[in-house]
Amino acid sequence: MTSPFLGFAARAGRAAAVLLLVAVTALALPHLMPGSPAVAALGVTATPEQITAFEAGLGLDRNVLAATFDWIGAALHGDLGHSLANGAAVTTELANRIPVTLELFVAAQLVALAVAVPVALVSAWRPGGVVDRIATAGAFLWLAVPGFVLGLLLIWLTAVQLRLLPATGWVPFTEDPVENLRHLLLPALTLGLPEAAVFTRTLRGQLLDTLDQTHVAAARSRGMGAARLLLRRALRPSSLPLVTLIGIGIGTSLGGSVLVESLFAVPGVGTLASGAINGRDFPVIQAVMVVSAVGVVLATLAVDLLYRTLDPRIAHGHR
Amino acid sequence: MATVETTAARPARTARRRPPAGVLAAVTWLAVVLLAALLLPLLPGFDPLHGDFSAPSAPPGPGHWLGTDAGGRDVLQRTVAGARASFAVAGLTVAVGLLGGGVLGLAAGWFRGPVDKAIGFATDLLMSVPTLILVMIAVSLRGPSLTVIGALIGLFTVPAFTRVVRAVVLALGERGFVQAARMIGTAPLRILRREVVPHVAPAALTFAFTATTVAIVAEGSLSFLGFGLRPPQPSWGGIIAEGRTTLGSAPWISLAPAAVLCLTVLALNYLGEHLRSPSRKATVNR
C-alpha cells in the first residue's frame, strides 16, 4: 500500500526540481542579453552608482544560483520584485491579472466541453453515422485553423459584419457581469473551439473502447436505455483522457492566452507577459515564467490525484 | 496561378473514405505553394515590398489577384514571400527536432533504465515551460532571425519526437529479429543502424508532418504578436496581423494569407494522418 504514496512523493520531488531549473533559467535571462541590461534600461547617462544599484536589484552582481535562491526566498514571502517599467510591485500586478486569465481559461474549457461532450456521445453511439462523419471531418478541418486566425475570423464575423459583440476590451465581472460576459465570449470561443476538436476526437475514441467492455454490454443487455447507458456507465470511465488534456491545457494555455489576450486586448497574464518581454522588464518576465511553471506543476499533480478518484484501480496499483 | 483557386477548394471536400483523391489534392496544394515560394521570386517584377500607391487596399481582381494591402503592395506576392519564411522556419524546426529527438529517443529506448529516466526528466522540463513565451523572450533579446526562431521551435518539438522514437525502439527491443541480432553478437551500433533506424524512420518522418504544422503555426503566431520577422519583410503571421486594422474595409489583406496558411496546415495534417492510419501502418510494418 505504500507504493502509491512513494510514487506520489517521487513525482513531487521531480516537480520541485523542474521548478528550480525554471527559476534558474528565468534569473539567468538578463545575462543572455547582448550588452548591459542596466545601460539598456537606464540609458548611457547613468552613473556607476545607479548601474550598481540596478544590477544588485536584478541579482546580476551575484552568481545565478545565489540570485535564484534569494529570489525564491523573497517570493515565498510574497515579494516578486518591482517592475522596471513603472516600479509597481509585481505581486500586485499578477494578483490583478491572474483572475482574468483564469476566468478566460475556465470559460474556454466550458466552451470546449459543451461542444465536445454531446458531439462525442452521439458520434460514439453510432460510429460511422451521419453525426460521426460530419463531426470527424469537421474536427479535422477545424484543427487546421490556428488560434490567431480563428480569433480574427470571429472578430470579422461577429464584431465587424454583424456588430453583435465588442471586438476588444475588458470589463471586470465585479463591475458589470453582463458586459464582462459579452467581452469574455469571443476570447473564450477563440481559446475553446480548437480545444473542442481535440476533446471530441479523444472522448469519442475512449467512449468506443468503453462501450466495448463487458460491464457496459451487460447493462445494455439488461435493456438500459441509450442516454442512461452513455451518461451513467460510459462517460465517467471515458473521461480520464479529458482530465489529462485539460491538465496539459493549463500548461499550454499561457502561450495561447498571450495570443488571445493581445488579440482581444484582455488585461490578463498573457498581455502582461508580452508587454514585459517587449519592454525587457525582467522582474515581470521572471515572475510570469516561474508562476506559470508552478501552475503547470500544480495542474499535473492535480490531474494525478483526480485520476485516482476517477479510477480507483490506479491508486491500488492494478493499472 | 488560377489553379490556386481550384485546388484551394479541393482539400476541404475530400471525404475520408477516398484517401487517394485527398492525398492527391494535399500533395498538389503543397507542391503549388512550395514551387511558388521557390520559383516566383525569381521572376522579374516580383517585389513584395513594392507599393503601388495608385491602388492602396484594392480588392482582389485582375492585376492583383488577391488584392493589395494598405500600402498598395500585392497581397499574393507577399503571401508567396511569406511562404518562404514559413517553410524556412519549418525546415529548420524539423531538422532540429528529428536530430535531437532521434538521438534522444534512440538512446532512451535502447539503454532504458537510468538513461531513459534522465532523458524523460529533460523532456518533461522542456515541456513545462511555455514555448511561445520563451521564443518571444529569445527573439526580444537576440533579435528576430529565421535561425533563432526555427532552432528554438525545433528545440520544443524535441520531446515529442523523442517520445515517438522511444516508443518504436522499445517495441522493437521485444521483436525477434533484434534479439536474434543481439544473440549472434552483432555490434550494438550495427543493430541500431541496420535493424532499428529503418523501423524508426517512418514513424519519425510521419511526425515530421505534424512538426511542420506546429512550426508554421508557431511562426505565424510569433509574427502576429510582433515577435517574428520585422515588417515590411513578409511572413504569414505578419501579413495577417497587418490586415487586422482594416478588417472591416479590406478583409482580404488578412483573410487571403490566412486561408493559404490554413489550407497548407490542413494538407500537411491530412498527409500525416494518412501515413499514420492503421491500414497503411500494416503494410509499412510488414
Side-chain angles (χ1 to χ4, degrees):
Chain A
M1 272 313 286
T2 50
S3 65
F5 297 105
L6 265 183
F8 197 75
R11 271 163 189 272
R14 233 167 112 118
V18 166
L19 284 182
L20 183 64
L21 279 167
V22 172
V24 172
T25 316
L27 270 291
L29 282 178
H31 293 281
L32 297 176
M33 187 177 155
S36 155
V39 174
L42 302 170
V44 281
T45 55
T47 62
E49 291 77 38
Q50 283 175 315
I51 290 181
T52 318
F54 181 89
E55 289 184 338
L58 279 183
L60 291 173
D61 53 344
R62 286 151 283 169
N63 77 43
V64 176
L65 263 184
T68 307
F69 284 112
D70 288 350
W71 189 92
I72 293 175
L76 289 177
H77 289 94
D79 175 14
L80 294 170
H82 294 267
S83 159
L84 298 181
N86 53 19
V90 178
T91 315
T92 327
E93 191 74 14
L94 271 176
N96 288 335
R97 283 166 179 264
I98 286 176
V100 176
T101 298
L102 273 184
E103 187 189 348
L104 183 55
F105 178 75
V106 170
Q109 305 312 306
L110 291 180
V111 167
L113 289 175
V115 175
V117 171
V119 174
L121 283 173
V122 177
S123 297
W125 187 245
R126 293 258 180 274
V130 182
V131 175
D132 186 31
R133 270 159 47 198
I134 295 177
T136 308
F140 196 76
L141 284 176
W142 206 230
L143 283 175
V145 183
F148 65 99
V149 173
L150 175 62
L152 217 57
L153 281 175
L154 285 174
I155 291 183
W156 183 62
L157 251 173
T158 60
V160 177
Q161 295 289 318
L162 304 174
R163 299 181 186 283
L164 279 177
L165 291 167
T168 57
W170 187 256
V171 176
F173 187 78
T174 46
E175 227 167 73
D176 185 345
V178 177
E179 275 303 304
N180 172 265
L181 291 179
R182 271 168 53 87
H183 283 85
L184 178 66
L185 190 58
L186 283 187
L189 284 173
T190 308
L191 214 52
L193 286 178
E195 272 184 67
V198 183
F199 282 15
T200 308
R201 286 181 109 183
T202 313
L203 184 57
R204 174 187 173 275
Q206 195 65 32
L207 275 170
L208 284 178
D209 279 358
T210 312
L211 288 175
D212 263 356
Q213 283 174 8
T214 43
H215 74 278
V216 180
R220 205 175 205 170
S221 65
R222 286 198 305 271
M224 196 185 257
R228 206 174 135 83
L229 187 72
L230 281 171
L231 294 173
R232 299 289 297 270
R233 293 294 149 98
L235 189 56
R236 183 168 129 157
S238 305
S239 59
L240 282 173
L242 278 193
V243 173
T244 313
L245 279 179
I246 294 179
I248 295 172
I250 295 178
T252 50
S253 75
L254 188 64
S257 68
V258 172
L259 261 176
V260 173
E261 285 177 11
S262 47
L263 183 54
F264 293 98
V266 175
V269 181
T271 37
L272 179 69
S274 58
I277 295 170
N278 246 331
R280 298 184 176 176
D281 193 344
F282 290 108
V284 177
I285 300 176
Q286 288 158 350
V288 169
M289 270 180 75
V290 177
V291 168
S292 70
V294 170
V296 174
V297 162
L298 288 182
T300 317
L301 290 178
V303 166
D304 206 44
L305 283 175
L306 250 177
Y307 253 63
R308 288 152 202 273
T309 322
L310 285 171
D311 189 347
R313 283 173 300 176
I314 296 171
H316 295 285
H318 288 303
R319 200 165 150 170
Chain B
M1 283 306 289
T3 50
V4 173
E5 300 304 324
T6 53
T7 46
R10 222 183 288 161
R13 256 191 271 125
T14 49
R16 281 176 63 86
R17 286 178 301 158
R18 282 173 31 207
V23 169
L24 198 70
V27 171
T28 311
W29 171 256
L30 290 177
V32 167
V33 176
L34 268 175
L35 284 178
L38 283 175
L39 301 179
L40 281 191
L42 303 177
L43 292 179
F46 184 92
D47 183 3
L49 300 184
H50 169 75
D52 177 359
F53 291 110
S54 64
S57 302
H64 301 290
W65 284 329
L66 293 182
T68 61
D69 69 6
R73 294 171 300 195
D74 187 79
V75 174
L76 178 60
Q77 288 190 12
R78 289 181 67 71
T79 306
V80 167
R84 282 172 90 92
S86 289
F87 281 112
V89 167
L92 199 57
T93 296
V94 169
V96 171
L98 263 181
L99 199 70
V103 170
L104 289 179
L106 280 176
W110 188 256
F111 295 112
R112 307 182 191 192
V115 176
D116 189 17
K117 282 224 171 79
I119 291 173
F121 178 73
T123 52
D124 274 6
L125 177 69
L126 212 49
M127 284 194 299
S128 66
V129 289
T131 315
L132 198 62
I133 292 198
L134 226 66
V135 183
M136 282 163 68
I137 294 172
V139 168
S140 113
L141 294 184
R142 288 279 157 187
S145 73
L146 286 180
T147 335
V148 168
I149 297 171
L152 270 176
I153 301 174
L155 179 67
F156 286 104
T157 62
V158 166
F161 271 109
T162 306
R163 280 187 174 179
V164 170
V165 172
R166 174 182 173 274
V168 181
V169 177
L170 278 179
L172 279 178
E174 311 296 326
R175 295 277 288 275
F177 62 93
V178 174
Q179 292 184 336
R182 263 192 192 145
M183 257 179 257
I184 59 171
T186 314
L189 270 181
R190 192 178 153 84
I191 303 181
L192 273 180
R193 196 162 44 92
R194 295 288 300 272
E195 315 288 354
V196 176
V197 171
H199 281 85
V200 167
L205 289 176
T206 303
F207 189 72
F209 281 94
T210 311
T212 307
T213 65
V214 167
I216 290 177
V217 171
E219 189 282 326
S221 310
L222 281 171
S223 299
F224 189 78
L225 286 168
F227 288 90
L229 296 179
R230 292 268 155 80
Q233 204 58 44
S235 81
W236 281 348
I239 319 172
I240 297 170
E242 278 168 32
R244 257 163 88 172
T245 45
T246 52
L247 212 49
S249 54
W252 56 87
I253 301 175
S254 275
L255 298 187
V260 174
L261 188 156
C262 291
L263 284 172
T264 307
V265 172
L266 182 65
L268 287 163
N269 277 347
Y270 188 85
L271 288 181
E273 187 84 353
H274 175 69
L275 291 173
R276 240 190 313 262
S277 67
S279 57
R280 261 201 58 95
K281 217 173 222 168
T283 54
V284 168
N285 277 356
R286 199 162 291 146

